[in-house]
């Protein structure tokens, strides 16, 4: 009880800091308060999309199991279950849960997020057209959710619509410049159209955020060799 009270106070004092909501969400989940956990995690993800139901992919299966207690007609539970299954590498489970969520959720932010996560699963299977349709709807329902715009950029690029893809990635970066992968994806598109200076700038940002980002480092080395 004392720890929970401390988290409540942290949220009250630091309501603009997503980590406080994320910590309280985990505490509520552990106590079986899934409705409260959903609310807090949504608040955390709204501030920083890195916050997901599972703290790390290695914990995704356990986090997924915690949602078994939720009601079968709770769209929020199906959405977060789908995200956790995606992080656990269960593509079929993710798609099934997220499609179920879309039938239960009312139009709005979380449904936009669910569309985004479903599209993420489809992009991994190279089903770019299906993903693009979902993401075009997602950016209307959740216009401030940066991953929706970034993944839309990726889907458009896979469809050969590179200029539109770059524009979508630029929109994503204007919403959240902390996503190394968005910088790296835009760098690839800038490289493809010959904007090497722009690509280098993007790769610098990506590697500053994530020095271990192998794909970004490889592209940076390729550009350096091309200049040499």
């Amino acid at each position: 009880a004392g720890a929970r009270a401390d988290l409540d106070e942290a949220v009250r004092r630091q309501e603009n800091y997503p980590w406080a909501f994320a910590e309280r969400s985990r505490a509520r989940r552990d106590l079986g308060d899934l409705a409260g956990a959903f609310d807090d995690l949504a608040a955390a993800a709204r501030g920083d999309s890195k916050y997901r139901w599972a703290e790390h992919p290695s914990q995704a299966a356990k986090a997924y199991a915690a949602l078994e207690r939720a009601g079968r007609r709770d769209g929020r539970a199906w959405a977060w279950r789908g995200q956790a299954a995606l992080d656990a590498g269960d593509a079929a489970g993710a798609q099934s849960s997220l499609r179920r969520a879309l039938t239960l959720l009312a139009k709005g932010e979380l449904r936009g997020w669910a569309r985004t996560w479903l599209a993420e699963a489809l992009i991994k299977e190279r089903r770019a057209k299906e993903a693009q349709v979902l993401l075009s709807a997602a950016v209307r329902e959740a216009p401030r959710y940066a991953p929706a715009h970034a993944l839309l950029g990726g889907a458009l690029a896979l469809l050969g619509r590179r200029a539109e893809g770059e524009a979508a990635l630029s929109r994503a970066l204007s919403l959240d410049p902390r996503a190394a992968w968005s910088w790296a994806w835009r760098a690839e598109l800038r490289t493809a159209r010959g904007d090497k200076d722009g690509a280098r700038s993007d790769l610098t940002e990506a590697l500053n955020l994530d020095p271990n980002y192998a794909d970004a480092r490889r592209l940076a080395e390729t550009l350096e060799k091309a200049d040499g």
Side-chain angles (χ1 to χ4, degrees), residues 58 107 196 213:
S58 64
K107 181 178 180 180
K196 292 183 179 179
Y213 197 151

Side-chain angles (χ1 to χ4, degrees), residues 181-204:
W181 59 281
S182 295
W183 290 105
W185 284 16
R186 192 174 72 170
E188 291 184 22
L189 293 179
R190 287 182 160 182
T191 300
R193 67 173 172 83
D195 181 7
K196 292 183 179 179
D197 288 340
R200 287 191 199 90
S201 177
D202 284 356
L203 290 167
T204 296

Side-chain angles (χ1 to χ4, degrees), residues 38 42 46 74-77 79-80 101-102 105-117 141-142:
F38 295 152
R46 201 172 291 124
D74 189 333
R76 296 171 303 170
W80 293 114
L102 292 177
L105 290 168
K107 181 178 180 180
E109 180 183 63
L110 184 55
R111 195 170 73 171
W113 296 358
R115 290 186 194 278
T116 302
W117 304 332
E141 286 195 283

Side-chain angles (χ1 to χ4, degrees), residues 7 10-12 14-28 36-37 39-45 51:
L7 286 169
V11 168
R12 189 186 70 79
Q14 303 188 65
E15 61 183 15
N16 293 323
Y17 289 85
W19 70 266
F21 287 97
E23 288 294 328
R24 193 171 69 177
S25 175
R26 284 190 285 272
R28 285 178 156 174
D39 288 343
D40 277 349
L41 187 55
Y51 291 108

Side-chain angles (χ1 to χ4, degrees), residues 84-98:
L86 182 64
D87 288 346
D90 178 6
Q95 291 180 43
S96 175
S97 293
L98 290 165

Side-chain angles (χ1 to χ4, degrees), residues 21-178:
F21 287 97
E23 288 294 328
R24 193 171 69 177
S25 175
R26 284 190 285 272
R28 285 178 156 174
R29 182 179 70 195
D30 292 343
L31 291 169
D33 177 13
L34 290 180
F38 295 152
D39 288 343
D40 277 349
L41 187 55
R46 201 172 291 124
D48 189 338
S49 61
K50 75 177 183 181
Y51 291 108
R52 300 171 76 89
W53 186 256
E55 294 176 64
H56 187 272
S58 64
Q59 301 170 347
K62 180 180 178 181
Y64 179 92
L67 291 164
E68 295 290 343
R69 298 190 300 269
R72 304 296 292 176
R73 296 195 58 79
D74 189 333
R76 296 171 303 170
W78 284 107
W80 293 114
R81 279 180 70 169
Q83 189 201 61
L86 182 64
D87 288 346
D90 178 6
Q95 291 180 43
S96 175
S97 293
L98 290 165
R99 292 188 191 281
R100 176 67 171 156
L102 292 177
T103 67
L104 295 170
L105 290 168
K107 181 178 180 180
E109 180 183 63
L110 184 55
R111 195 170 73 171
W113 296 358
R115 290 186 194 278
T116 302
W117 304 332
L118 177 55
E120 184 179 350
L122 295 175
I123 286 174
K124 290 180 179 180
E125 296 180 351
R126 311 295 287 185
R127 294 161 65 181
K129 182 57 183 176
E130 293 172 74
Q132 181 260 315
V133 171
L134 281 165
L135 290 161
S136 294
V139 297
R140 291 193 295 270
E141 286 195 283
R144 297 200 59 78
Y145 191 53
H149 295 274
L151 288 166
L152 177 59
L156 289 166
L158 287 172
L159 293 169
R161 297 161 61 180
R162 291 178 174 174
E164 294 171 82
E166 184 176 336
L169 283 159
S170 294
R171 173 61 177 157
L173 287 165
S174 73
L175 291 167
D176 184 4
R178 298 163 295 190

